[in-house]
Amino acid sequence: GHTKRVTSAAWVPNASGLSAHIVTGSADKSVRVWGPKPANSDDDASVRAIGWTKLCIIKHHNAEVVGVAVHPSNEYVASAAADGSWAVHSLQGETVVSGTVDAPVSRIAFHPDGTFLGLGTRDGQAKIVDVKQRQVLATLDVVADAEGDAAEVNGLHFSENGYYFVTTSAREAAVWDLRKQKKTKVWELKDLAPDAEAEAAFTAARFDVSGKYLAVVADRVVVLKVKGWAQLAELPVGEFPARAVAWVGDTASAVVAATMDNSLHYYEPSQE
């Protein structure tokens, strides 16, 4: 595996079950692509493989890899590093395009059409990058008048329609209109977690595959309906803070959150 801590991971959903790939980024400055181990029995092809094996190591960056993101085609993966470098690689390990921005990067996400990248930075900005031209098309101020960890963009995700994206920083979650390059909706902690402890912070946000719902993470997971921004559910995560959230399946029928005690929390609508 990696020689230092894993900072990011992404599932490549081009197949089902153990036939998919996993891509990881690490503080060891590398990106690794993993695949399921071959069938562990020649006698019974239905026996499922146990574990994963490394398919390739990508050594493009000269600093800690802070994020990986899968291209909409599921044939490429992008990576970003703390020194402002970014790159797009094939799943076979070839780097096909790369560039840099003038700020330390903290998050990376692909736009749904695959031609743009969103980069969150540690100094409170979101940058929209044209991948082919390797140019920054827009720089947006996510966090104002903050320093240190409070300034870092710790979450960034595009809606499937490509017009909107969401960012999070410690004290604010915001939805942006990419066409107008401005915020259309902003939440502070008191708006979504009014009884939160003083040390609570936003840590992630993610649209579902339809773009109709948004999950925002602070000291709980809050599910919102995009049209009108009505709050549909408040999901507790327990004593330890959550650091990531994802929607489950093609219909986004459930939500899963990862917490700092190495646990996964699975939520689905009540059948009552």
Side-chain angles (χ1 to χ4, degrees):
H2 289 281
T3 59
K4 294 184 179 180
R5 66 186 177 91
V6 173
T7 58
S8 54
W11 183 271
V12 184
N14 61 341
S16 60
L18 290 176
S19 59
H21 294 83
I22 294 174
V23 179
T24 55
S26 170
D28 66 10
K29 306 177 186 178
S30 75
V31 174
R32 303 190 183 213
V33 180
W34 307 82
K37 289 183 177 179
N40 52 15
S41 172
D42 293 331
D43 300 323
D44 185 357
S46 67
V47 175
R48 305 188 76 181
I50 299 175
W52 295 75
T53 187
K54 180 176 63 203
L55 300 180
C56 67
I57 303 176
I58 302 170
K59 295 183 177 181
H60 173 81
H61 297 287
N62 295 314
E64 173 182 331
V65 175
V66 296
V68 293
V70 178
H71 189 271
S73 69
N74 299 323
E75 295 179 357
Y76 302 94
V77 62
S79 59
D83 62 357
S85 62
W86 59 267
V88 177
H89 323 277
S90 71
L91 292 176
Q92 292 72 43
E94 177 188 3
T95 299
V96 294
V97 63
S98 63
T100 59
V101 295
D102 60 352
V105 176
S106 55
R107 289 292 181 271
I108 185 170
F110 261 114
H111 186 274
D113 71 4
T115 60
F116 307 111
L117 282 171
L119 301 175
T121 72
R122 291 182 176 176
D123 58 3
Q125 295 180 329
K127 295 179 180 289
I128 308 301
V129 175
D130 183 311
V131 174
K132 186 175 180 180
Q133 300 298 324
R134 295 183 290 181
Q135 293 181 344
V136 175
L137 301 181
T139 298
L140 310 173
D141 291 324
V142 176
V143 182
D145 302 323
E147 297 179 353
D149 291 343
E152 179 176 316
V153 177
N154 57 25
L156 191 156
H157 187 246
F158 289 95
S159 173
E160 61 83 31
N161 64 18
Y163 297 139
Y164 300 103
F165 68 100
V166 61
T167 57
T168 55
S169 59
R171 298 300 171 193
E172 180 184 286
V175 174
W176 298 74
D177 187 325
L178 191 56
R179 297 162 296 183
K180 300 177 181 179
Q181 298 184 19
K182 61 186 296 185
K183 298 174 183 178
T184 63
K185 182 65 179 179
V186 177
W187 298 274
E188 297 179 357
L189 276 169
K190 61 183 177 64
D191 299 321
L192 298 183
D195 57 345
E197 300 290 338
E199 65 272 15
F202 289 114
T203 55
R206 196 167 186 89
F207 288 101
D208 79 316
V209 293
S210 71
K212 296 180 179 178
Y213 303 98
L214 175 68
V216 181
V217 179
D219 66 339
R220 66 204 73 183
V221 178
V222 178
V223 178
L224 302 156
K225 187 174 182 180
V226 170
K227 187 176 182 179
W229 303 114
Q231 183 171 320
L232 302 180
E234 184 177 295
L235 310 173
V237 297
E239 178 183 356
F240 295 88
R243 286 291 181 265
V245 67
W247 294 86
V248 179
D250 294 336
T251 59
S253 58
V255 174
V256 62
T259 52
M260 292 297 288
D261 60 344
N262 298 323
S263 297
L264 289 175
H265 299 254
Y266 181 89
Y267 311 91
E268 59 183 7
S270 171
Q271 300 301 315
E272 298 180 1

mmCIF file with all atom_site columns, all heavy atoms in Angstrom, residues 196-217:
data_model
loop_
_atom_site.group_PDB
_atom_site.id
_atom_site.type_symbol
_atom_site.label_atom_id
_atom_site.label_alt_id
_atom_site.label_comp_id
_atom_site.label_asym_id
_atom_site.label_entity_id
_atom_site.label_seq_id
_atom_site.pdbx_PDB_ins_code
_atom_site.Cartn_x
_atom_site.Cartn_y
_atom_site.Cartn_z
_atom_site.occupancy
_atom_site.B_iso_or_equiv
_atom_site.pdbx_formal_charge
_atom_site.auth_seq_id
_atom_site.auth_comp_id
_atom_site.auth_asym_id
_atom_site.auth_atom_id
_atom_site.pdbx_PDB_model_num
ATOM 1   N N   . ALA A 1 196 ? -25.290 23.058 17.991  1.00 0.00 ? 196 ALA A N   1
ATOM 2   C CA  . ALA A 1 196 ? -23.973 22.445 17.855  1.00 0.00 ? 196 ALA A CA  1
ATOM 3   C C   . ALA A 1 196 ? -23.006 22.993 18.893  1.00 0.00 ? 196 ALA A C   1
ATOM 4   O O   . ALA A 1 196 ? -23.122 24.132 19.348  1.00 0.00 ? 196 ALA A O   1
ATOM 5   C CB  . ALA A 1 196 ? -23.419 22.679 16.454  1.00 0.00 ? 196 ALA A CB  1
ATOM 6   N N   . GLU A 1 197 ? -22.025 22.170 19.254  1.00 0.00 ? 197 GLU A N   1
ATOM 7   C CA  . GLU A 1 197 ? -20.973 22.603 20.158  1.00 0.00 ? 197 GLU A CA  1
ATOM 8   C C   . GLU A 1 197 ? -20.100 23.657 19.468  1.00 0.00 ? 197 GLU A C   1
ATOM 9   O O   . GLU A 1 197 ? -20.070 23.767 18.241  1.00 0.00 ? 197 GLU A O   1
ATOM 10  C CB  . GLU A 1 197 ? -20.108 21.413 20.572  1.00 0.00 ? 197 GLU A CB  1
ATOM 11  C CG  . GLU A 1 197 ? -20.875 20.299 21.293  1.00 0.00 ? 197 GLU A CG  1
ATOM 12  C CD  . GLU A 1 197 ? -21.331 20.725 22.682  1.00 0.00 ? 197 GLU A CD  1
ATOM 13  O OE1 . GLU A 1 197 ? -20.725 21.666 23.246  1.00 0.00 ? 197 GLU A OE1 1
ATOM 14  O OE2 . GLU A 1 197 ? -22.296 20.119 23.197  1.00 0.00 ? 197 GLU A OE2 1
ATOM 15  N N   . ALA A 1 198 ? -19.358 24.400 20.276  1.00 0.00 ? 198 ALA A N   1
ATOM 16  C CA  . ALA A 1 198 ? -18.560 25.503 19.738  1.00 0.00 ? 198 ALA A CA  1
ATOM 17  C C   . ALA A 1 198 ? -17.511 25.035 18.740  1.00 0.00 ? 198 ALA A C   1
ATOM 18  O O   . ALA A 1 198 ? -17.176 25.754 17.794  1.00 0.00 ? 198 ALA A O   1
ATOM 19  C CB  . ALA A 1 198 ? -17.899 26.257 20.879  1.00 0.00 ? 198 ALA A CB  1
ATOM 20  N N   . GLU A 1 199 ? -16.991 23.803 18.931  1.00 0.00 ? 199 GLU A N   1
ATOM 21  C CA  . GLU A 1 199 ? -15.937 23.310 18.039  1.00 0.00 ? 199 GLU A CA  1
ATOM 22  C C   . GLU A 1 199 ? -16.486 22.654 16.771  1.00 0.00 ? 199 GLU A C   1
ATOM 23  O O   . GLU A 1 199 ? -15.712 22.195 15.919  1.00 0.00 ? 199 GLU A O   1
ATOM 24  C CB  . GLU A 1 199 ? -15.040 22.314 18.771  1.00 0.00 ? 199 GLU A CB  1
ATOM 25  C CG  . GLU A 1 199 ? -15.735 21.039 19.204  1.00 0.00 ? 199 GLU A CG  1
ATOM 26  C CD  . GLU A 1 199 ? -16.387 21.136 20.571  1.00 0.00 ? 199 GLU A CD  1
ATOM 27  O OE1 . GLU A 1 199 ? -16.553 22.277 21.073  1.00 0.00 ? 199 GLU A OE1 1
ATOM 28  O OE2 . GLU A 1 199 ? -16.713 20.084 21.142  1.00 0.00 ? 199 GLU A OE2 1
ATOM 29  N N   . ALA A 1 200 ? -17.794 22.586 16.603  1.00 0.00 ? 200 ALA A N   1
ATOM 30  C CA  . ALA A 1 200 ? -18.382 21.958 15.419  1.00 0.00 ? 200 ALA A CA  1
ATOM 31  C C   . ALA A 1 200 ? -18.027 22.756 14.166  1.00 0.00 ? 200 ALA A C   1
ATOM 32  O O   . ALA A 1 200 ? -17.805 23.969 14.218  1.00 0.00 ? 200 ALA A O   1
ATOM 33  C CB  . ALA A 1 200 ? -19.896 21.860 15.564  1.00 0.00 ? 200 ALA A CB  1
ATOM 34  N N   . ALA A 1 201 ? -17.983 22.058 13.036  1.00 0.00 ? 201 ALA A N   1
ATOM 35  C CA  . ALA A 1 201 ? -17.617 22.711 11.778  1.00 0.00 ? 201 ALA A CA  1
ATOM 36  C C   . ALA A 1 201 ? -18.235 21.961 10.607  1.00 0.00 ? 201 ALA A C   1
ATOM 37  O O   . ALA A 1 201 ? -18.474 20.750 10.683  1.00 0.00 ? 201 ALA A O   1
ATOM 38  C CB  . ALA A 1 201 ? -16.099 22.747 11.617  1.00 0.00 ? 201 ALA A CB  1
ATOM 39  N N   . PHE A 1 202 ? -18.519 22.680 9.526   1.00 0.00 ? 202 PHE A N   1
ATOM 40  C CA  . PHE A 1 202 ? -18.878 22.018 8.281   1.00 0.00 ? 202 PHE A CA  1
ATOM 41  C C   . PHE A 1 202 ? -17.657 21.267 7.755   1.00 0.00 ? 202 PHE A C   1
ATOM 42  O O   . PHE A 1 202 ? -16.528 21.759 7.850   1.00 0.00 ? 202 PHE A O   1
ATOM 43  C CB  . PHE A 1 202 ? -19.333 23.029 7.233   1.00 0.00 ? 202 PHE A CB  1
ATOM 44  C CG  . PHE A 1 202 ? -20.665 23.659 7.506   1.00 0.00 ? 202 PHE A CG  1
ATOM 45  C CD1 . PHE A 1 202 ? -20.758 25.019 7.775   1.00 0.00 ? 202 PHE A CD1 1
ATOM 46  C CD2 . PHE A 1 202 ? -21.821 22.908 7.471   1.00 0.00 ? 202 PHE A CD2 1
ATOM 47  C CE1 . PHE A 1 202 ? -21.986 25.614 8.019   1.00 0.00 ? 202 PHE A CE1 1
ATOM 48  C CE2 . PHE A 1 202 ? -23.067 23.490 7.721   1.00 0.00 ? 202 PHE A CE2 1
ATOM 49  C CZ  . PHE A 1 202 ? -23.141 24.851 8.001   1.00 0.00 ? 202 PHE A CZ  1
ATOM 50  N N   . THR A 1 203 ? -17.883 20.083 7.201   1.00 0.00 ? 203 THR A N   1
ATOM 51  C CA  . THR A 1 203 ? -16.761 19.286 6.710   1.00 0.00 ? 203 THR A CA  1
ATOM 52  C C   . THR A 1 203 ? -16.961 18.739 5.301   1.00 0.00 ? 203 THR A C   1
ATOM 53  O O   . THR A 1 203 ? -15.990 18.329 4.670   1.00 0.00 ? 203 THR A O   1
ATOM 54  C CB  . THR A 1 203 ? -16.487 18.106 7.649   1.00 0.00 ? 203 THR A CB  1
ATOM 55  O OG1 . THR A 1 203 ? -17.695 17.331 7.810   1.00 0.00 ? 203 THR A OG1 1
ATOM 56  C CG2 . THR A 1 203 ? -16.014 18.580 9.018   1.00 0.00 ? 203 THR A CG2 1
ATOM 57  N N   . ALA A 1 204 ? -18.188 18.709 4.791   1.00 0.00 ? 204 ALA A N   1
ATOM 58  C CA  . ALA A 1 204 ? -18.422 18.135 3.462   1.00 0.00 ? 204 ALA A CA  1
ATOM 59  C C   . ALA A 1 204 ? -19.844 18.425 3.025   1.00 0.00 ? 204 ALA A C   1
ATOM 60  O O   . ALA A 1 204 ? -20.718 18.734 3.846   1.00 0.00 ? 204 ALA A O   1
ATOM 61  C CB  . ALA A 1 204 ? -18.182 16.624 3.469   1.00 0.00 ? 204 ALA A CB  1
ATOM 62  N N   . ALA A 1 205 ? -20.086 18.295 1.726   1.00 0.00 ? 205 ALA A N   1
ATOM 63  C CA  . ALA A 1 205 ? -21.439 18.409 1.173   1.00 0.00 ? 205 ALA A CA  1
ATOM 64  C C   . ALA A 1 205 ? -21.454 17.708 -0.174  1.00 0.00 ? 205 ALA A C   1
ATOM 65  O O   . ALA A 1 205 ? -20.448 17.692 -0.888  1.00 0.00 ? 205 ALA A O   1
ATOM 66  C CB  . ALA A 1 205 ? -21.863 19.866 1.030   1.00 0.00 ? 205 ALA A CB  1
ATOM 67  N N   . ARG A 1 206 ? -22.621 17.151 -0.519  1.00 0.00 ? 206 ARG A N   1
ATOM 68  C CA  . ARG A 1 206 ? -22.685 16.409 -1.780  1.00 0.00 ? 206 ARG A CA  1
ATOM 69  C C   . ARG A 1 206 ? -24.116 16.383 -2.317  1.00 0.00 ? 206 ARG A C   1
ATOM 70  O O   . ARG A 1 206 ? -25.060 16.085 -1.579  1.00 0.00 ? 206 ARG A O   1
ATOM 71  C CB  . ARG A 1 206 ? -22.188 14.975 -1.584  1.00 0.00 ? 206 ARG A CB  1
ATOM 72  C CG  . ARG A 1 206 ? -21.856 14.257 -2.881  1.00 0.00 ? 206 ARG A CG  1
ATOM 73  C CD  . ARG A 1 206 ? -21.084 12.976 -2.621  1.00 0.00 ? 206 ARG A CD  1
ATOM 74  N NE  . ARG A 1 206 ? -20.637 12.363 -3.851  1.00 0.00 ? 206 ARG A NE  1
ATOM 75  C CZ  . ARG A 1 206 ? -19.493 12.614 -4.450  1.00 0.00 ? 206 ARG A CZ  1
ATOM 76  N NH1 . ARG A 1 206 ? -18.667 13.489 -3.919  1.00 0.00 ? 206 ARG A NH1 1
ATOM 77  N NH2 . ARG A 1 206 ? -19.164 12.012 -5.574  1.00 0.00 ? 206 ARG A NH2 1
ATOM 78  N N   . PHE A 1 207 ? -24.246 16.710 -3.613  1.00 0.00 ? 207 PHE A N   1
ATOM 79  C CA  . PHE A 1 207 ? -25.527 16.554 -4.295  1.00 0.00 ? 207 PHE A CA  1
ATOM 80  C C   . PHE A 1 207 ? -25.770 15.080 -4.598  1.00 0.00 ? 207 PHE A C   1
ATOM 81  O O   . PHE A 1 207 ? -24.821 14.312 -4.785  1.00 0.00 ? 207 PHE A O   1
ATOM 82  C CB  . PHE A 1 207 ? -25.521 17.324 -5.624  1.00 0.00 ? 207 PHE A CB  1
ATOM 83  C CG  . PHE A 1 207 ? -25.568 18.813 -5.486  1.00 0.00 ? 207 PHE A CG  1
ATOM 84  C CD1 . PHE A 1 207 ? -24.415 19.570 -5.628  1.00 0.00 ? 207 PHE A CD1 1
ATOM 85  C CD2 . PHE A 1 207 ? -26.760 19.471 -5.241  1.00 0.00 ? 207 PHE A CD2 1
ATOM 86  C CE1 . PHE A 1 207 ? -24.442 20.951 -5.526  1.00 0.00 ? 207 PHE A CE1 1
ATOM 87  C CE2 . PHE A 1 207 ? -26.806 20.864 -5.132  1.00 0.00 ? 207 PHE A CE2 1
ATOM 88  C CZ  . PHE A 1 207 ? -25.636 21.600 -5.266  1.00 0.00 ? 207 PHE A CZ  1
ATOM 89  N N   . ASP A 1 208 ? -27.052 14.691 -4.692  1.00 0.00 ? 208 ASP A N   1
ATOM 90  C CA  . ASP A 1 208 ? -27.355 13.345 -5.159  1.00 0.00 ? 208 ASP A CA  1
ATOM 91  C C   . ASP A 1 208 ? -27.266 13.306 -6.682  1.00 0.00 ? 208 ASP A C   1
ATOM 92  O O   . ASP A 1 208 ? -27.023 14.338 -7.327  1.00 0.00 ? 208 ASP A O   1
ATOM 93  C CB  . ASP A 1 208 ? -28.736 12.890 -4.661  1.00 0.00 ? 208 ASP A CB  1
ATOM 94  C CG  . ASP A 1 208 ? -29.870 13.472 -5.487  1.00 0.00 ? 208 ASP A CG  1
ATOM 95  O OD1 . ASP A 1 208 ? -29.830 14.680 -5.797  1.00 0.00 ? 208 ASP A OD1 1
ATOM 96  O OD2 . ASP A 1 208 ? -30.795 12.722 -5.842  1.00 0.00 ? 208 ASP A OD2 1
ATOM 97  N N   . VAL A 1 209 ? -27.431 12.125 -7.277  1.00 0.00 ? 209 VAL A N   1
ATOM 98  C CA  . VAL A 1 209 ? -27.227 11.977 -8.720  1.00 0.00 ? 209 VAL A CA  1
ATOM 99  C C   . VAL A 1 209 ? -28.257 12.735 -9.551  1.00 0.00 ? 209 VAL A C   1
ATOM 100 O O   . VAL A 1 209 ? -28.002 13.058 -10.711 1.00 0.00 ? 209 VAL A O   1
ATOM 101 C CB  . VAL A 1 209 ? -27.239 10.486 -9.130  1.00 0.00 ? 209 VAL A CB  1
ATOM 102 C CG1 . VAL A 1 209 ? -26.038 9.769  -8.554  1.00 0.00 ? 209 VAL A CG1 1
ATOM 103 C CG2 . VAL A 1 209 ? -28.533 9.802  -8.685  1.00 0.00 ? 209 VAL A CG2 1
ATOM 104 N N   . SER A 1 210 ? -29.412 13.044 -8.974  1.00 0.00 ? 210 SER A N   1
ATOM 105 C CA  . SER A 1 210 ? -30.434 13.779 -9.719  1.00 0.00 ? 210 SER A CA  1
ATOM 106 C C   . SER A 1 210 ? -30.260 15.291 -9.598  1.00 0.00 ? 210 SER A C   1
ATOM 107 O O   . SER A 1 210 ? -30.855 16.050 -10.361 1.00 0.00 ? 210 SER A O   1
ATOM 108 C CB  . SER A 1 210 ? -31.829 13.398 -9.203  1.00 0.00 ? 210 SER A CB  1
ATOM 109 O OG  . SER A 1 210 ? -32.045 13.941 -7.901  1.00 0.00 ? 210 SER A OG  1
ATOM 110 N N   . GLY A 1 211 ? -29.458 15.737 -8.637  1.00 0.00 ? 211 GLY A N   1
ATOM 111 C CA  . GLY A 1 211 ? -29.309 17.160 -8.389  1.00 0.00 ? 211 GLY A CA  1
ATOM 112 C C   . GLY A 1 211 ? -30.473 17.761 -7.626  1.00 0.00 ? 211 GLY A C   1
ATOM 113 O O   . GLY A 1 211 ? -30.523 18.981 -7.431  1.00 0.00 ? 211 GLY A O   1
ATOM 114 N N   . LYS A 1 212 ? -31.392 16.924 -7.141  1.00 0.00 ? 212 LYS A N   1
ATOM 115 C CA  . LYS A 1 212 ? -32.579 17.421 -6.437  1.00 0.00 ? 212 LYS A CA  1
ATOM 116 C C   . LYS A 1 212 ? -32.384 17.511 -4.928  1.00 0.00 ? 212 LYS A C   1
ATOM 117 O O   . LYS A 1 212 ? -33.161 18.172 -4.239  1.00 0.00 ? 212 LYS A O   1
ATOM 118 C CB  . LYS A 1 212 ? -33.776 16.520 -6.742  1.00 0.00 ? 212 LYS A CB  1
ATOM 119 C CG  . LYS A 1 212 ? -34.203 16.527 -8.205  1.00 0.00 ? 212 LYS A CG  1
ATOM 120 C CD  . LYS A 1 212 ? -35.390 15.601 -8.428  1.00 0.00 ? 212 LYS A CD  1
ATOM 121 C CE  . LYS A 1 212 ? -35.827 15.619 -9.888  1.00 0.00 ? 212 LYS A CE  1
ATOM 122 N NZ  . LYS A 1 212 ? -36.964 14.687 -10.126 1.00 0.00 ? 212 LYS A NZ  1
ATOM 123 N N   . TYR A 1 213 ? -31.354 16.835 -4.429  1.00 0.00 ? 213 TYR A N   1
ATOM 124 C CA  . TYR A 1 213 ? -31.139 16.797 -2.984  1.00 0.00 ? 213 TYR A CA  1
ATOM 125 C C   . TYR A 1 213 ? -29.676 17.087 -2.670  1.00 0.00 ? 213 TYR A C   1
ATOM 126 O O   . TYR A 1 213 ? -28.774 16.824 -3.486  1.00 0.00 ? 213 TYR A O   1
ATOM 127 C CB  . TYR A 1 213 ? -31.542 15.435 -2.415  1.00 0.00 ? 213 TYR A CB  1
ATOM 128 C CG  . TYR A 1 213 ? -32.976 15.076 -2.710  1.00 0.00 ? 213 TYR A CG  1
ATOM 129 C CD1 . TYR A 1 213 ? -33.293 14.237 -3.790  1.00 0.00 ? 213 TYR A CD1 1
ATOM 130 C CD2 . TYR A 1 213 ? -34.024 15.585 -1.956  1.00 0.00 ? 213 TYR A CD2 1
ATOM 131 C CE1 . TYR A 1 213 ? -34.616 13.918 -4.079  1.00 0.00 ? 213 TYR A CE1 1
ATOM 132 C CE2 . TYR A 1 213 ? -35.343 15.284 -2.240  1.00 0.00 ? 213 TYR A CE2 1
ATOM 133 C CZ  . TYR A 1 213 ? -35.627 14.447 -3.307  1.00 0.00 ? 213 TYR A CZ  1
ATOM 134 O OH  . TYR A 1 213 ? -36.929 14.146 -3.602  1.00 0.00 ? 213 TYR A OH  1
ATOM 135 N N   . LEU A 1 214 ? -29.452 17.601 -1.477  1.00 0.00 ? 214 LEU A N   1
ATOM 136 C CA  . LEU A 1 214 ? -28.105 17.956 -1.035  1.00 0.00 ? 214 LEU A CA  1
ATOM 137 C C   . LEU A 1 214 ? -27.925 17.483 0.401   1.00 0.00 ? 214 LEU A C   1
ATOM 138 O O   . LEU A 1 214 ? -28.777 17.734 1.261   1.00 0.00 ? 214 LEU A O   1
ATOM 139 C CB  . LEU A 1 214 ? -27.909 19.477 -1.111  1.00 0.00 ? 214 LEU A CB  1
ATOM 140 C CG  . LEU A 1 214 ? -26.589 20.034 -0.583  1.00 0.00 ? 214 LEU A CG  1
ATOM 141 C CD1 . LEU A 1 214 ? -25.432 19.597 -1.474  1.00 0.00 ? 214 LEU A CD1 1
ATOM 142 C CD2 . LEU A 1 214 ? -26.651 21.562 -0.490  1.00 0.00 ? 214 LEU A CD2 1
ATOM 143 N N   . ALA A 1 215 ? -26.812 16.800 0.648   1.00 0.00 ? 215 ALA A N   1
ATOM 144 C CA  . ALA A 1 215 ? -26.450 16.383 2.002   1.00 0.00 ? 215 ALA A CA  1
ATOM 145 C C   . ALA A 1 215 ? -25.286 17.243 2.469   1.00 0.00 ? 215 ALA A C   1
ATOM 146 O O   . ALA A 1 215 ? -24.276 17.365 1.775   1.00 0.00 ? 215 ALA A O   1
ATOM 147 C CB  . ALA A 1 215 ? -26.062 14.906 2.031   1.00 0.00 ? 215 ALA A CB  1
ATOM 148 N N   . VAL A 1 216 ? -25.446 17.863 3.645   1.00 0.00 ? 216 VAL A N   1
ATOM 149 C CA  . VAL A 1 216 ? -24.417 18.730 4.217   1.00 0.00 ? 216 VAL A CA  1
ATOM 150 C C   . VAL A 1 216 ? -24.003 18.162 5.568   1.00 0.00 ? 216 VAL A C   1
ATOM 151 O O   . VAL A 1 216 ? -24.854 17.773 6.379   1.00 0.00 ? 216 VAL A O   1
ATOM 152 C CB  . VAL A 1 216 ? -24.936 20.173 4.386   1.00 0.00 ? 216 VAL A CB  1
ATOM 153 C CG1 . VAL A 1 216 ? -23.839 21.066 4.961   1.00 0.00 ? 216 VAL A CG1 1
ATOM 154 C CG2 . VAL A 1 216 ? -25.424 20.728 3.062   1.00 0.00 ? 216 VAL A CG2 1
ATOM 155 N N   . VAL A 1 217 ? -22.694 18.122 5.816   1.00 0.00 ? 217 VAL A N   1
ATOM 156 C CA  . VAL A 1 217 ? -22.169 17.525 7.045   1.00 0.00 ? 217 VAL A CA  1
ATOM 157 C C   . VAL A 1 217 ? -21.598 18.600 7.953   1.00 0.00 ? 217 VAL A C   1
ATOM 158 O O   . VAL A 1 217 ? -20.774 19.423 7.529   1.00 0.00 ? 217 VAL A O   1
ATOM 159 C CB  . VAL A 1 217 ? -21.063 16.490 6.730   1.00 0.00 ? 217 VAL A CB  1
ATOM 160 C CG1 . VAL A 1 217 ? -20.512 15.900 8.020   1.00 0.00 ? 217 VAL A CG1 1
ATOM 161 C CG2 . VAL A 1 217 ? -21.599 15.397 5.829   1.00 0.00 ? 217 VAL A CG2 1
#
